[in-house]
């Protein structure tokens, strides 16, 4: 069998495309692999020829050096591919199937999985509940920004597209099912978005744009997106969102009041996470900014969806507390307003099938919303740099040149 090329984190600020081993149905030792997972047999898994794999903002946290990710870690948790090899214990997934891979790795056997909380599977990461491909402290499952990748628990996890040819026609939309679309949708659902809602989305990166589009799908009357980046705000405006530029005007409640006639919204979604910045032209990093601001502008009794990533270890944080994920949030304000908070990884399998049908029917236009931009595997290092500079694009890697 041929070799394999993959995008590898080399050092803070740098990724490289390297030759690596062709995957097998076993988790071998390597950068970031938990010692207790080394040698784990995966006859319940498959080998995929990667059709598309996306660069995620969560990857950027590692590449910036804001986690304890080791050099040599193969990146990538947003994977869509064609099955080319099936393990002995795989019964229903077949060679040739085109599938979406949820970024959460889940066994299907533990209590969490049986309760549909596949984001906190108890059996795939020896360190803590929950796992993901190509991510720090997630058990060491090899990432999918590569030509080929191994995926465990295939019968349980994989979402098969019903018509391969039609799926390829909408692959730039369907590739978003592995993470970004369900994550944005989960943020909107967690925030209680419903027909007629007014919604504030903090962050106009790809997840924020996905959350905004999801809020529209759920029937929101007005979706307001806030960011410091004018280009990203223009992208939000392109599909019908109202926008607030927090670099030019730090008064979030005042800007919302100008749009709605009220300084509060029914629901708010944090799509920024732990690298949040303060507002205004002289803004600096202030990791609790978004959490505090969404409590301020959400009405009493409202809900806050928090799909933005927060970590327990951040070596580049602005203070010692933030290095261990301790943030100065106004929890008393949230308590006084009876807010509901929903945090954590998105349980992708709760949503991906319904969202697939929304895409195939033409109801959802997620690729357009997030400005999906196709690139080759070799172009990934430059795309990481462009994404880090704040371009309003969702980069989709096509390792084999299969996408028309």
């Amino acid at each position: 069998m041929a070799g394999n090329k993959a995008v590898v984190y080399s050092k803070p600020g740098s990724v490289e495309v390297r030759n690596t081993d062709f995957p097998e149905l076993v988790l071998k030792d390597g950068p970031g692999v938990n010692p207790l997972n080394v040698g784990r047999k995966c006859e319940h898994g498959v080998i995929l020829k990667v059709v598309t794999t996306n660069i995620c903002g969560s990857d950027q946290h590692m590449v910036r050096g804001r986690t304890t990710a080791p050099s040599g870690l193969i990146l990538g948790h947003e994977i869509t591919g064609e099955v080319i090899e099936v393990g002995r214990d795989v019964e229903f997934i077949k060679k040739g199937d085109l599938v979406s891979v949820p970024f959460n790795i889940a066994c299907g056997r533990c209590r969490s999985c049986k309760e549909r909380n596949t984001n906190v599977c108890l059996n795939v990461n020896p360190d803590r509940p929950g796992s993901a491909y190509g991510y720090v402290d997630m058990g060491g499952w090899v990432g999918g920004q590569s030509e080929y990748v191994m995926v465990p628990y295939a019968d349980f996890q994989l979402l098969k597209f019903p018509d391969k040819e039609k799926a390829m026609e909408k692959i730039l939309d369907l590739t978003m099912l592995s993470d970004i679309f369900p994550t944005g949708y989960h943020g909107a659902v967690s925030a209680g978005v419903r027909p007629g809602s007014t919604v504030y989305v903090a962050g106009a990166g790809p997840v924020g744009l996905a959350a905004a589009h999801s809020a529209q799908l759920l029937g929101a009357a007005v979706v307001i997106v806030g960011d410091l980046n004018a280009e990203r705000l223009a992208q939000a405006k392109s599909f019908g969102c109202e926008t607030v530029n927090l670099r030019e005007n730090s008064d979030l409640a005042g800007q919302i009041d100008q749009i709605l006639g009220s300084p509060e919204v029914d629901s708010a979604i944090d799509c920024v996470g732990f690298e949040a910045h303060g507002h205004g032209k002289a803004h600096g990093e202030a990791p609790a900014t978004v959490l505090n601001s969404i409590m301020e502008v959400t009405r009493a009794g409202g809900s806050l969806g928090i799909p933005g990533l927060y970590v327990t270890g951040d070596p580049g944080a602005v203070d010692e507390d933030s290095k261990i994920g301790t943030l100065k949030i106004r929890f008393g304000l949230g308590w006084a307003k009876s807010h509901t908070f929903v945090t954590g990884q998105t349980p992708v399998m709760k949503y991906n099938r319904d969202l697939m049908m929304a895409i195939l029917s033409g109801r959802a236009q997620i690729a357009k919303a997030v400005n999906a931009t196709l690139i080759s595997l070799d172009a990934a290092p430059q795309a990481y740099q462009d994404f880090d500079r704040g371009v309003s694009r969702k980069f989709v890697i096509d390792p084999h040149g299969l996408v028309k």
Side-chain angles (χ1 to χ4, degrees), residues 65-81:
R66 297 300 296 268
T67 71
T68 56
S71 178
L73 184 74
I74 295 176
L75 300 168
H77 55 270
E78 301 189 17
I79 308 165
T80 305

Side-chain angles (χ1 to χ4, degrees), residues 138-161:
M138 288 291 182
W141 300 90
V142 179
Q145 286 177 16
S146 56
E147 294 177 313
Y148 302 92
V149 67
M150 187 270 284
V151 174
Y153 304 106
D155 279 330
F156 176 65
Q157 291 195 107
L158 296 182
L159 176 66
K160 177 185 173 181
F161 299 138

Side-chain angles (χ1 to χ4, degrees), residues 357-379:
M357 296 307 297
I359 288 169
L360 293 175
S361 68
R363 180 80 176 88
Q365 306 286 336
I366 187 64
K368 180 180 178 182
V370 302
N371 195 16
T373 303
L374 198 67
I375 61 170
S376 68
L377 189 67
D378 289 331

Side-chain angles (χ1 to χ4, degrees), residues 180-225:
I180 181 179
F181 198 8
T183 292
Y185 192 82
H186 177 63
V189 169
S190 300
V193 177
R194 60 188 185 278
S197 293
T198 56
V199 184
Y200 174 64
V201 179
V207 171
L209 297 171
H213 185 48
S214 297
Q216 293 173 332
L217 290 173
L218 289 166
V222 182
V223 180
I224 304 168
V225 180

Side-chain angles (χ1 to χ4, degrees), residues 5-8 15-20 145 376-381:
K5 287 169 63 178
V7 180
V8 173
V15 302
E16 300 174 0
V17 177
R18 296 181 186 172
N19 293 317
T20 186
Q145 286 177 16
S376 68
L377 189 67
D378 289 331

Side-chain angles (χ1 to χ4, degrees), residues 27 45 53 124 200 208 222 228 231 249 300 309 320 340 347 354 376:
L27 184 52
T53 177
V124 290
Y200 174 64
V222 182
L228 301 161
E231 181 183 341
N249 183 348
L309 176 67
E320 292 303 311
T340 298
D354 290 345
S376 68

Side-chain angles (χ1 to χ4, degrees), residues 24 49 120 140 194 257 283 338 353 388 395:
E24 300 178 40
K49 181 178 183 178
V120 283
R194 60 188 185 278
D257 192 18
H283 67 86
S338 295
R353 186 172 299 277
D388 193 47
F395 288 106

